Amino acid sequence: MSAPYRLSLAQKSMFLAVLSAIFLAAMDQTVVATALPTIAEDLHGLAHLPWVITAYLLSSTVSLPIYGKLGDLMGRKVVLTFAVAFFLVGSILSGLAWSLESLVLFRALQGLGGGGILVTAIASIADFLPLEQRGKYQGLVGAAFGLATLIGPFLGGFVVQTFGWRWIFYINIPFGIFCLIIVQWAFPKTQRKRFPFDIVGAGSLFFGLSALVLLMEFGAHDSWIWVLLALISASVWGIFFWSPHHPEPILPLVFFRHKTFSASVIVSFFVGAAMLGSISFLPTYYQTVRAFTPTESGLEMLFLLVGMLLTSVFSGRWISKHQKFRMVPILGTLLTALALWLLSHIAVQTPLWQIDGALILLGVGLGSTMQVMVLSAQWALPHRHLGVATATVSLFRSLGGTLGVAGFGAVFSHFLGVTPAASDHLAATHIVHALRWDFGIAAALTLAAFVAAWNLDDLPTLMAQRRGSESSLPPA
């Protein structure tokens, strides 16, 4: 029996840097969401308040592929340093915002850093850990992400009530400085690869994704905006797909010929859509139908996070021990679909223990799936494409979540159909009816992820495919 693997001091330092970076970026969104009502009142901009979240979401999403490729070419240390610096500058400026418009602009700058932090930090794990140990520590990363999400609402509420909403941005400064110090100290210097950067591919991908995300978020509200965004998106995507061949493309389309990589992307997209699209409206049920306070509603959502936290750690350790991961997301997507199906039977007076149990089951399913898809994509491609693999999975999961929130929001509004003058009982009945449809559709989408997960190959198979060649990829 082999001795348990132990991290060296250098590896422990790098892993601490990774966890601090991920914690910094992951906590920001939930902290800011808590302060939105106070921000709207202070800056007199209720009508444009969603842009405070959307600006960050947009810039962090569309920058993912660029950061992934830059990390592969320039080294993770320099890219992560720039990402944290962007995030800190955006945080300071957001705290100094004098209007909602200025806050939206600074949040976009902050998002450029946040997206880079997450994808670069997650990819860097594979730079200093042996392949067979990544599952264990990737699970800890998922736990850190869940913990940051868990702490965020409570920290945000405390900071807003005690110091004011501007301090939800200023508290990033000590975290960010600590992260920068650890990264500079722990991360080794890497030799830059001398390839010309794919400017055409990066630009077309950036603007194509921007138009697509905006189309999902706001296009449906005005028909002419929808048409304009659709035309821009189609034109820019045309440039991306038919631009001249580049020696180091920003996102090599040949990667999608690898079935494990493609399956990882597809599963991430459908799981992201099902999770964010359906769960986003559950607080409405708690607060409107069950008359919970926002704090009580947030506490109920902890059951989901507890399930994710525990399973992320357990599944990561199991994968590292057995060197197999294929059945983990297969089981995870099945449990996710089952949990969403149970939630699709929600009623006005469903016992809370039933809802909480379904949320724990949902967390177990998601914890067995989301971080594992990052691992499978990384294992499917050669190490030199590590950043691209990580960024692509993160990108499609984020796009799935954005599309899910927009699509499920439309379904929710369609089946809601209640006028402001409707009675409380009628409003509650319609909300429950709309939620049932949302959860039912989400369960069906997760079954699509379940089917796609069967196309994953286990680690021994992937390693056998690589033997004798750089990778199992067909020639570009």
Side-chain angles (χ1 to χ4, degrees):
M1 184 175 179
S2 60
Y5 182 83
R6 296 187 181 278
L7 295 181
S8 66
L9 178 61
Q11 289 173 316
K12 289 179 180 178
S13 301
M14 293 181 70
F15 193 61
L16 176 61
V18 167
L19 290 181
S20 62
I22 290 173
F23 193 84
L24 174 69
M27 191 174 61
D28 179 77
Q29 281 292 72
T30 51
V31 169
V32 173
T34 308
L36 286 181
T38 307
I39 293 173
E41 182 180 352
D42 190 35
L43 297 181
H44 310 290
L46 184 61
H48 302 291
L49 192 61
W51 278 99
V52 175
I53 297 294
T54 302
Y56 186 98
L57 173 69
L58 175 62
S59 60
S60 61
T61 299
V62 301
S63 62
L64 288 173
I66 299 175
Y67 274 112
K69 191 64 181 181
L70 286 175
D72 288 337
L73 293 177
M74 301 177 63
R76 241 67 72 177
K77 179 176 183 177
V78 63
V79 175
L80 186 56
T81 300
F82 272 106
V84 175
F86 268 121
F87 186 85
L88 281 179
V89 171
S91 297
I92 295 170
L93 292 174
S94 294
L96 297 172
W98 55 89
S99 66
L100 197 67
E101 291 77 13
S102 64
L103 178 59
V104 168
L105 177 63
F106 300 144
R107 283 284 289 165
L109 177 61
Q110 193 183 17
L112 286 176
I117 288 173
L118 289 177
V119 70
T120 310
I122 292 173
S124 67
I125 294 175
D127 287 336
F128 63 90
L129 285 176
L131 185 145
E132 63 274 7
Q133 292 294 325
R134 291 178 198 167
K136 175 181 177 181
Y137 292 96
Q138 199 77 45
L140 292 176
V141 167
F145 197 98
L147 183 62
T149 306
L150 181 67
I151 292 174
F154 298 100
L155 180 62
F158 172 78
V159 170
V160 170
Q161 292 179 3
T162 307
F163 303 105
W165 68 265
R166 296 181 186 275
W167 281 92
I168 64 171
F169 300 108
Y170 295 150
I171 61 173
N172 289 329
I173 298 174
F175 285 108
I177 292 175
F178 172 78
C179 181
L180 280 175
I181 293 172
I182 295 294
V183 168
Q184 299 308 308
W185 172 59
F187 273 55
K189 291 184 178 180
T190 54
Q191 187 175 4
R192 300 181 185 182
K193 299 175 183 177
R194 298 186 178 276
F195 284 105
F197 188 67
D198 184 11
I199 297 177
V200 174
S204 57
L205 191 61
F206 183 88
F207 289 107
L209 287 172
S210 298
L212 186 61
V213 172
L214 289 173
L215 187 67
M216 295 174 186
E217 286 285 333
F218 294 104
H221 296 291
D222 295 284
S223 58
W224 71 270
I225 293 179
W226 191 95
V227 173
L228 178 62
L229 289 172
L231 289 174
I232 293 173
S233 181
S235 302
V236 178
W237 282 114
I239 296 173
F240 175 77
F241 285 113
W242 286 288
S243 59
H245 178 76
H246 192 277
E248 282 288 335
I250 193 75
L251 177 58
L253 299 179
V254 69
F255 288 173
F256 290 95
R257 298 184 197 175
H258 196 300
K259 71 170 187 174
T260 295
F261 179 79
S262 296
S264 303
V265 169
I266 293 170
V267 171
S268 297
F269 178 85
F270 281 118
V271 169
M275 180 190 71
L276 288 179
S278 58
I279 294 302
S280 296
F281 301 96
L282 193 54
T284 303
Y285 167 82
Y286 284 127
Q287 296 177 37
T288 305
V289 178
R290 306 299 289 262
F292 283 15
T293 65
T295 301
E296 291 171 336
S297 174
L299 289 173
E300 285 295 318
M301 299 302 292
L302 294 184
F303 290 97
L304 169 67
L305 292 173
V306 167
M308 290 182 65
L309 278 170
L310 297 178
T311 315
S312 292
V313 175
F314 174 78
S315 62
R317 289 180 175 272
W318 190 91
I319 290 170
S320 289
K321 180 179 180 180
H322 297 280
Q323 296 300 294
K324 294 183 178 181
F325 68 90
R326 182 170 177 263
M327 291 307 299
V328 175
I330 289 175
L331 180 61
T333 50
L334 184 61
L335 291 177
T336 302
L338 175 60
L340 291 169
W341 178 79
L342 290 174
L343 288 171
S344 71
H345 293 77
I346 198 169
V348 174
Q349 291 298 330
T350 298
L352 285 178
W353 67 266
Q354 292 184 13
I355 301 175
D356 296 340
L359 286 177
I360 292 174
L361 184 63
L362 180 59
V364 169
L366 294 173
S368 304
T369 305
M370 300 182 76
Q371 290 299 321
V372 181
M373 290 302 95
V374 175
L375 282 172
S376 62
Q378 291 178 346
W379 283 335
L381 300 182
H383 187 274
R384 69 187 184 91
H385 297 302
L386 192 68
V388 172
T390 307
T392 305
V393 171
S394 302
L395 170 66
F396 275 83
R397 184 170 60 205
S398 181
L399 287 176
T402 304
L403 181 61
V405 171
F408 282 90
V411 172
F412 187 82
S413 299
H414 173 75
F415 286 101
L416 193 58
V418 181
T419 63
S423 66
D424 291 342
H425 175 73
L426 182 62
T429 303
H430 280 250
I431 288 173
V432 167
H433 182 62
L435 272 178
R436 285 178 174 177
W437 273 95
D438 270 358
F439 284 124
I441 296 172
L445 287 178
T446 311
L447 284 178
F450 170 74
V451 173
W454 285 94
N455 290 299
L456 296 167
D457 283 324
D458 254 325
L459 183 57
T461 304
L462 293 175
M463 293 302 99
Q465 291 172 350
R466 285 197 193 181
R467 267 186 215 112
S469 63
E470 182 187 13
S471 73
S472 59
L473 290 173

